[in-house]
Amino acid sequence: MIEIIDLHKKLSGQTVLKGIDLVINRGETLTIIGRSGEGKSVLLKHIIGLFRPDSGNIRVDGENITRHKTSDLYRLRRRFGVLFQGSALFDSLTVGENVGLALREHKTFPEYEIRRIVAEKLARVDLKGAENKKPAELSGGMKKRVGLARAIAMSPEYILYDEPTTGLDPITADSINDLIIQLKTDLNITSIAVTHDMASAYKISDRIAMLFDGRIIAIGTPEEIKNSDSEAVQQFVTGKAKGPITDF
Amino acid sequence: MNLISYLGYLVIRFIEHVGRLSILIGQLVLSLHLFPKNLRLISQQMLYMGVNSLPLVLFTSLFTGGVTAVQAAYQFRGIVPMTYLGGAVGKAVVIELGPVLTALVIAGRVGASIAAELGTMKVTEQIDALETMAIDPVRYLVMPRFISGIVMLPVLTVFSNFIAIVGGLAVSVWFLDLTTYSFLNSLKMFFELQDLFGGLLKSIAFGAIISIIGCYNGFATVGGAEGVGKSTTRAVVVSSILILLADYGIASLVFG
Ligand SMILES: Nc1ncnc2c1ncn2[C@@H]1O[C@H](COP(=O)(O)OP(=O)(O)OP(=O)(O)O)[C@@H](O)[C@H]1O
Ligand SMILES: [Mg+2]
């Protein structure tokens, strides 16, 4: 379980997060929606300690990570997998080396076992046998898949997805949605996703939270969000240019 | 008033950079004991920094040596016997020209590419990705480049010294009517081991400067392709300046 308590963060003079309160339960997929530049990526990065909050706390399974030393953060991060917004594949490494990097660096298994795990994770994202390709040779959708395989390489308990479907065609996007659902059911992973793709949010989420003006203004099941009486939520989920969000 | 606040801003920025650079150096020093983990990365960097830079260094050195001989001969004319030319070329090359020109050439080639590579990794979140995989970017990226820098710069400098002296010799024999014997004889007569070691000591410092400044600017990159371009330029400019400052400092210590 991840608890975010009254999280505040100012970045380059501008207050991005103004008191976030959010609980993510074990085994659920929670999706955070919100406009571009609202601070969704910044919020995700706080959860794995890439940013430190100005005030407020984050607890992972009861452990308060906000004042963790680097070594404690590294220990904690081994339980997390992250899919970055732009995939963030290491372009000097092959696909296989990308997926196997953490396994090799942490010497968790002997080399033949690592090769087996890499092949297994790639097969899981429908990229069997792509080990020797370079990231530059891949399409955007394939990069996301490799990023996903890399995120699950260390068999994490938690996965953070930063816009897993953005920039993909609807069919490829839906195949990523299916993968996310499959990972959750097969491996019982707790997930936090960030997106502004509503089709994806409705499909993968147990609950959806909407971030607006640095706060969570609504949270509920996809059904509840779809039928929310908040005008801001309605404007966002139906994608209207005019409404309380843009008048703000 | 505006000028004063601008100057104040510059001073603050400068202190900020010095502080961050010191932190990076501290982290680098703390990661050095992990170098057995990095042998493959270190050898990759050495190959790129050392072997692949060799043609450029040799080309530069050959001409530097030749020019040194021509200019020294011009200054000697009527004052110093030409038989001392070998010694003068040798000393100039080994103490100053070999280490400094090699370092400046490598700052342009390798320092720039370190900053560009790490800068691109920064803006495409690859550095964040390393962090989230619990891999220390300083250990994984900075340390191999640093070790490769302090090892390969002296190695390149030795090659550079040798080729520059060959260049000086060739010019002396072909254009200045000296014999190979008299050039080499005076080279030997004036050669001192301290000169060579002083020069190599400089090149170790230059290797540290190029790698650390390249990495620092790479990590400090913000804002896409434009940011990468700026960091690359800054890495070359700052390391060139620091190379010249360090050159003066070490020269005063060793030869002063
Ligand atoms: N490292 C940083 N330094 C300074 N400001 C930052 C940094 N990262 C993000 N910001 C700022 O924080 C705000 C929120 O950025 P963030 O990337 O979290 O938005 P987002 O909701 O993820 O948007 P998008 O949907 O476009 O990815 C932006 O105004 C951005 O300029
Ligand atoms: Mg984002």
Side-chain angles (χ1 to χ4, degrees):
Chain A
M1 186 171 74
I2 298 176
E3 298 154 277
I4 301 169
I5 305 138
D6 198 28
L7 194 70
H8 289 256
K9 182 69 177 180
K10 207 172 187 175
L11 277 171
S12 42
Q14 165 206 8
T15 311
V16 180
L17 305 178
K18 303 177 183 171
I20 303 277
D21 288 290
L22 199 58
V23 174
I24 300 99
N25 298 309
R26 180 153 286 275
E28 81 167 333
T29 299
L30 179 106
T31 302
I32 300 164
I33 57 173
R35 293 187 79 193
S36 255
E38 249 335 312
K40 306 185 296 297
S41 298
V42 169
L43 178 57
L44 273 195
K45 286 178 182 175
H46 275 89
I47 297 174
I48 38 167
L50 285 176
F51 280 122
R52 294 203 189 252
D54 297 337
S55 67
N57 288 301
I58 295 166
R59 278 207 272 275
V60 177
D61 296 324
E63 187 182 343
N64 190 338
I65 69 158
T66 24
R67 264 166 285 282
H68 263 5
K69 296 197 303 277
T70 314
S71 55
D72 289 330
L73 279 178
Y74 279 180
R75 181 178 47 75
L76 176 95
R77 285 176 189 160
R78 291 188 186 207
R79 296 160 56 197
F80 279 81
V82 182
L83 175 61
F84 282 87
Q85 192 161 352
S87 302
L89 301 181
F90 303 114
D91 33 37
S92 58
L93 305 181
T94 64
V95 165
E97 289 167 339
N98 262 284
V99 177
L101 182 66
L103 294 161
R104 289 199 172 94
E105 287 295 319
H106 299 313
K107 295 248 182 326
T108 0
F109 299 105
E111 182 57 30
Y112 67 89
E113 183 68 10
I114 292 178
R115 282 175 194 276
R116 193 193 60 72
I117 296 172
V118 168
E120 178 206 312
K121 305 293 175 184
L122 282 174
R124 189 172 261 289
V125 298
D126 273 337
L127 280 174
K128 214 172 177 165
E131 275 93 341
N132 294 323
K133 289 206 163 63
K134 279 291 188 102
E137 302 167 32
L138 306 179
S139 72
M142 287 163 91
K143 280 186 190 157
K144 293 262 182 188
R145 284 164 190 277
V146 176
L148 203 49
R150 188 177 71 180
I152 58 175
M154 297 279 284
S155 307
E157 299 161 47
Y158 296 97
I159 303 188
L160 310 182
Y161 300 97
D162 196 349
E163 316 227 354
T165 58
T166 308
L168 304 180
D169 71 80
I171 296 166
T172 312
D174 202 50
S175 71
I176 300 273
N177 290 338
D178 287 338
L179 274 174
I180 293 175
I181 295 168
Q182 217 179 346
L183 286 176
K184 174 187 138 92
T185 46
D186 292 1
L187 309 175
N188 189 33
I189 290 174
T190 308
S191 311
I192 307 174
V194 148
T195 191
H196 28 55
D197 170 0
M198 286 315 298
S200 169
Y202 289 140
K203 183 161 177 181
I204 64 173
S205 316
D206 296 306
R207 289 190 303 152
I208 297 176
M210 176 149 165
L211 182 65
F212 175 58
D213 188 29
R215 294 185 187 84
I216 300 293
I217 57 160
I219 185 161
T221 61
E223 234 9 74
E224 287 164 357
I225 291 292
K226 208 179 279 183
N227 303 321
S228 163
D229 358 313
S230 156
E231 284 178 40
V233 174
Q234 277 308 326
Q235 186 194 354
F236 187 85
V237 301
T238 55
K240 298 263 189 328
K242 283 206 173 4
I245 296 180
T246 35
D247 295 342
F248 181 73
Chain B
M1 193 59 215
N2 249 333
L3 182 69
I4 292 173
S5 66
Y6 182 66
L7 284 178
Y9 168 79
L10 286 186
V11 170
I12 290 170
R13 284 299 300 270
F14 178 76
I15 294 172
E16 196 181 311
H17 279 301
V18 171
R20 289 196 183 161
L21 187 60
S22 313
I23 292 173
L24 179 67
I25 293 171
Q27 290 172 328
L28 171 64
V29 169
L30 291 179
S31 77
L32 283 177
H33 72 282
L34 292 167
F35 90 95
K37 233 181 148 170
N38 273 351
L39 292 180
R40 215 172 63 96
L41 292 168
I42 293 171
S43 60
Q44 272 174 8
Q45 287 301 322
M46 284 186 169
L47 190 70
Y48 172 70
M49 243 189 228
V51 181
N52 297 358
S53 300
L54 205 51
L56 182 63
V57 168
L58 295 188
F59 179 82
T60 319
S61 312
L62 191 66
F63 280 86
T64 308
V67 171
T68 311
V70 173
Q71 307 267 287
Y74 171 73
Q75 294 180 27
F76 277 14
R77 205 157 294 153
I79 310 171
V80 183
M82 284 298 162
T83 46
Y84 290 155
L85 194 62
V89 170
K91 270 209 185 310
V93 162
V94 169
I95 296 174
E96 178 69 17
L97 296 173
V100 173
L101 287 175
T102 303
L104 291 175
V105 165
I106 297 299
R109 184 185 126 85
V110 177
S113 90
I114 291 176
E117 184 182 0
L118 268 52
T120 306
M121 291 185 74
K122 175 77 191 308
V123 299
T124 57
E125 295 184 309
Q126 292 177 49
I127 308 267
D128 283 346
L130 279 178
E131 285 272 4
T132 60
M133 295 161 94
I135 298 170
D136 176 9
V138 174
R139 196 270 299 164
Y140 187 77
L141 297 171
V142 182
M143 190 243 277
R145 286 166 174 79
F146 171 75
I147 295 198
S148 161
I150 59 172
V151 173
M152 289 325 275
L153 250 273
V155 172
L156 286 170
T157 301
V158 168
F159 278 98
S160 163
N161 288 344
F162 180 73
I163 295 296
I165 289 172
V166 169
L169 172 68
V171 167
S172 310
V173 171
W174 287 336
F175 302 111
L176 302 170
D177 297 330
L178 257 82
T179 63
T180 309
Y181 174 79
S182 79
F183 186 92
L184 290 181
N185 195 38
S186 102
L187 182 69
K188 224 183 314 172
M189 194 162 75
F190 288 98
F191 178 80
E192 279 176 86
L193 215 51
Q194 191 202 357
D195 297 349
L196 183 66
F197 285 137
L200 293 183
L201 183 67
K202 284 180 179 178
S203 69
I204 294 175
F206 300 159
I209 290 171
I210 293 169
S211 54
I212 292 174
I213 297 299
C215 291
Y216 175 76
N217 281 289
F219 281 168
T221 305
V222 281
E226 191 194 359
V228 174
K230 279 185 187 157
S231 304
T232 309
T233 311
R234 199 176 315 124
V236 176
V237 172
V238 172
S239 46
S240 302
I241 292 172
L242 290 180
I243 284 168
L244 296 174
L245 289 178
D247 184 35
Y248 182 82
I250 297 174
S252 333
L253 281 178
V254 178
F255 306 108

